[in-house]
Amino acid sequence: MPYLLIVGGRELENQQVAVRLRGGEDKGAMSLAAFTEILNAEMADY
């Protein structure tokens, strides 16, 4: 799944990334570790 990671001032302050899907769905802000877990779970399905 294509993801966009947005890192602006707010994300830097909170040590997070804002995650959006390429289709425009906003997954919200999360830690980079949480996003890595999502990616690892998706990769395990392949």
Side-chain angles (χ1 to χ4, degrees):
M1 171 127 353
Y3 289 100
L4 297 171
L5 298 181
I6 292 78
V7 181
R10 187 177 344 144
E11 289 81 18
L12 284 173
E13 184 177 310
N14 295 318
Q15 296 184 336
Q16 296 181 323
V17 293
V19 181
R20 296 188 183 125
L21 298 179
R22 186 173 166 197
E25 182 182 348
D26 187 354
K27 295 300 223 179
M30 61 186 75
S31 69
L32 190 55
F35 180 69
T36 302
E37 287 180 24
I38 291 170
L39 287 180
N40 286 334
E42 281 189 22
M43 291 172 57
D45 290 339
Y46 287 103

